[in-house]
Amino acid sequence: MKGARTTGYRGRLAPSPTGLLHLGHARTFWIAAQRAAQHHGALVLRNEDLDPQRCREKCAQAMLEDLRWLGITWSEGPDCGGPYAPYSQSERRDCYLAAWRKLRDSGFIYPCTCSRKDLAEAATAPHDSDDEPIYPGRCRSRSFEDAVRFARPAGVNWRFRVPENETVEFTDLHLGPQQFLAGRDFGDFVVWRRDDVPAYQLAVVADDTAMRISEVVRGADLLKSTARQILLYRALGLNIPEFYHCDLLRDENGARLAKRHDALSIRRLRESGLGPEEIRSRLFTITPQE
Ligand SMILES: [Zn+2]
């Protein structure tokens, strides 16, 4: 397509339409937009509406509108198109299936038939409350032949076999050097769910590659996910983008802002009479904590 940038800085905004946009998201998206502008780069908006159980079309519309109202603009997205369309994950299944097939054929993933009950009983390893528990490894030894007989991913969970005790390192552009130990900080993670929904980890790697993203700006809550994704980039033989993880905002009780903090949603603040500039100034007056 004419005018499409194939080199240089390409950043992205990747909101998930599971609720209202709150100050914490807005802060991350504002930083992403600033970084793209500083680099004279392109900014892509990708609607991360993978999960049909949790995503609402109504929320997607509201998010885009709130972002625009706040003064954030993008040059490619579900509303304006672009050279790497479609920009909604729910329309990009083929892209994820291709990645799944490649991982299956190269032996990096295996079908896991553990029930939710099996996993709950085995979950003794400590894990973050908002992170997936460390998989105890019951199905890890399933053979390559067992994996390739699946023509389609549906019906079982597909897990990535992490290289145990290998340190995954990267230098974050904001937070500096990062280190995670595969098998201890995270276990064999799901890349495709039993209910036939591709997992976040797989989808973002496939999308960021397909959309030629050069720098990923997102919240520091995703640092460990970045380590998992680096393993996926390597397994798929793909170039790894740069990462810039933003500090997280917390509410007055020290809890991380979440979509349930309705009072801190951009929508409610707007309705209370605040203007975009007042909200933008709040993004940086609340002290981020980790
Ligand atoms: Zn299993």
Side-chain angles (χ1 to χ4, degrees), residues 110-115 119 135 137-140 159:
Y110 60 88
C112 166
T113 48
C114 297
S115 67
L119 294 176
Y135 178 63
R138 264 184 47 169
C139 303
R140 183 164 231 259
R159 292 183 184 275

Side-chain angles (χ1 to χ4, degrees), residues 51-64:
D51 192 338
Q53 309 289 336
R54 298 176 60 227
C55 296
R56 300 282 170 268
E57 172 60 24
K58 209 174 61 189
C59 293
Q61 295 302 331
M63 270 180 349
L64 263 58

Side-chain angles (χ1 to χ4, degrees), residues 137-184:
R138 264 184 47 169
C139 303
R140 183 164 231 259
S141 59
R142 288 178 74 157
S143 67
F144 176 68
E145 289 69 29
D146 200 7
V148 289
R149 84 191 156 78
F150 283 81
R152 280 180 298 276
V156 294
N157 284 314
W158 287 84
R159 292 183 184 275
F160 185 87
R161 197 179 276 114
V162 303
E164 265 193 291
N165 298 316
E166 188 181 314
T167 305
V168 182
E169 289 177 289
F170 62 97
T171 301
D172 185 76
L173 294 174
H174 179 55
L175 299 171
Q178 304 293 318
Q179 262 195 4
F180 294 95
L181 189 62
R184 186 200 65 191

Side-chain angles (χ1 to χ4, degrees), residues 248-257 286-290:
L248 300 176
L249 288 182
R250 289 178 189 269
D251 69 9
E252 61 279 12
N253 303 316
R256 189 195 299 166
L257 293 191
I286 303 178
T287 319
Q289 303 163 12
E290 181 34 54

